[in-house]
Amino acid sequence: MEQMVKMSIHIHMSVAILLILSQLAFFAIKNEENFIIFSKRFRFLLLIQNIIFGMTAFTGIVVMAVTQFTLWNIEIFLMIFLAVAILVHQILLYKKVRPIKSTEKDLQNSFKSYASKIYLSEALAGVVVYILARILD
């Protein structure tokens, strides 16, 4: 039983690392000058992030089920809080990018700046929670 718990935690943490890397992937497409191409790549990146986010949430629920929902500590609450924050920001980013037209350079630049701050803060929060989980484990 203990080996199954360790394996499910390892899988969950691996998927969490993928989520952090997918958030940092935004910076690879940020410098695209053509906003139409940027928008298409950004929406594709959001799709990938949502899939990885779903995998992270699913593996987290599997870990909770394997431990029979007895594993409650500060890192679990931080992970749940971070998951809710990521979900809310994903929705806000998608809603904010949709109405921007290819001729509105100021809105494009302000969106890229806003999204950069969001992705950097989410990635840093993910790294902090990951480190806390590894230290407190």
Side-chain angles (χ1 to χ4, degrees):
M1 180 71 167
E2 186 175 318
Q3 187 175 3
M4 192 162 52
V5 171
K6 286 183 180 183
M7 183 181 68
S8 59
I9 289 174
H10 179 70
I11 291 171
H12 177 67
M13 293 306 223
S14 299
V15 175
I17 290 172
L18 280 176
L19 182 63
I20 293 168
L21 292 175
S22 72
Q23 290 168 337
L24 293 175
F26 170 78
F27 296 100
I29 65 168
K30 177 185 171 191
N31 294 328
E32 176 61 50
E33 295 294 326
N34 186 339
F35 193 73
I36 294 172
I37 294 173
F38 168 79
S39 179
K40 287 179 182 179
R41 289 182 180 168
F42 180 72
R43 289 178 190 194
F44 183 70
L45 180 63
L46 278 177
L47 174 66
I48 291 171
Q49 288 173 343
N50 287 332
I51 290 169
I52 295 172
F53 177 75
M55 290 168 48
T56 306
F58 178 75
T59 57
I61 291 170
V62 167
V63 169
M64 297 292 290
V66 167
T67 60
Q68 299 175 350
F69 297 95
T70 58
L71 185 67
W72 286 99
N73 52 28
I74 188 69
E75 44 195 270
I76 300 296
F77 288 111
L78 287 174
M79 287 181 200
I80 292 171
F81 176 76
L82 183 60
V84 170
I86 289 172
L87 182 63
V88 167
H89 284 127
Q90 294 285 350
I91 294 168
L92 291 176
L93 286 172
Y94 180 73
K95 288 183 122 190
K96 192 168 182 167
V97 77
R98 278 185 51 205
I100 299 176
K101 295 182 177 38
S102 62
T103 58
E104 300 173 324
K105 296 294 182 192
D106 291 338
L107 286 176
Q108 294 170 12
N109 291 332
S110 68
F111 172 77
K112 288 180 181 180
S113 174
Y114 172 75
S116 296
K117 291 174 188 173
I118 294 293
Y119 278 122
L120 188 59
S121 63
E122 285 179 357
L124 286 176
V127 168
V128 167
V129 170
Y130 180 82
I131 290 172
L132 279 175
R134 298 308 276 173
I135 289 173
L136 298 175
D137 189 29

